[in-house]
Amino acid sequence: MLGKYDLVGFGSGIYFARHDVALLKLVKEMASGPKQVFLFSTAGNPLLFRLYHLPLRNRLRRHACKIVGEFNCPGWDTFGPFAWIGGLHKQRPNKQDIESARLFARGLQQVLGKQPQVVEV
């Protein structure tokens, strides 16, 4: 199903240092991958996003997907002791994060050379 698209984005919040389990399962079980993909996430510790993206990145590469970009921004984190203080990065993603995501998406448009069709799965 996803193999017919020129560019597909895969992402979720980060839970226990990786993307959502359902997303990882979807990628593992897909018959064929899209030609080009991008990854995105929100995380309590955005400095480690490349590490957090690694399990998803590896699964997509097994399907011969070309990864053309990765986006991450801070997200509300209530893991462990952070719950006691109301979490980290409350109110995130915010307007500035959304604008950063828009700029990232505009860069991806250049990869395709056209306006992408948006389909939510």
Side-chain angles (χ1 to χ4, degrees), residues 27-57:
V27 171
K28 182 179 179 182
E29 295 175 355
M30 67 183 182
S32 65
K35 298 171 195 79
Q36 300 177 103
V37 301
F38 65 93
L39 312 182
F40 61 94
S41 65
T42 61
N45 185 347
L47 298 175
L48 297 176
F49 87 91
R50 294 218 182 270
L51 179 65
Y52 298 155
H53 285 191
L54 190 59
L56 179 58
R57 192 182 310 121

Side-chain angles (χ1 to χ4, degrees), residues 25-102:
K25 183 179 177 187
L26 171 93
V27 171
K28 182 179 179 182
E29 295 175 355
M30 67 183 182
S32 65
K35 298 171 195 79
Q36 300 177 103
V37 301
F38 65 93
L39 312 182
F40 61 94
S41 65
T42 61
N45 185 347
L47 298 175
L48 297 176
F49 87 91
R50 294 218 182 270
L51 179 65
Y52 298 155
H53 285 191
L54 190 59
L56 179 58
R57 192 182 310 121
N58 287 340
R59 287 182 186 199
L60 288 165
R61 285 184 176 148
R62 283 186 214 124
H63 286 286
C65 299
K66 179 182 177 187
I67 298 168
V68 296
E70 298 185 43
F71 179 81
N72 174 271
C73 70
W76 186 29
D77 186 353
T78 58
F79 178 72
F82 300 130
W84 299 339
I85 60 170
L88 293 178
H89 306 298
K90 209 168 190 177
Q91 309 298 320
R92 300 296 289 271
N94 59 25
K95 288 181 182 182
Q96 184 179 359
D97 298 323
I98 300 301
E99 184 57 30
S100 294
R102 275 194 190 99

Side-chain angles (χ1 to χ4, degrees), residues 100-120:
S100 294
R102 275 194 190 99
L103 292 172
F104 173 77
R106 285 188 190 122
L108 291 176
Q109 286 177 329
Q110 293 176 356
V111 170
L112 287 177
K114 61 182 178 179
Q115 185 76 339
Q117 174 189 2
V118 177
V119 178
E120 293 183 31

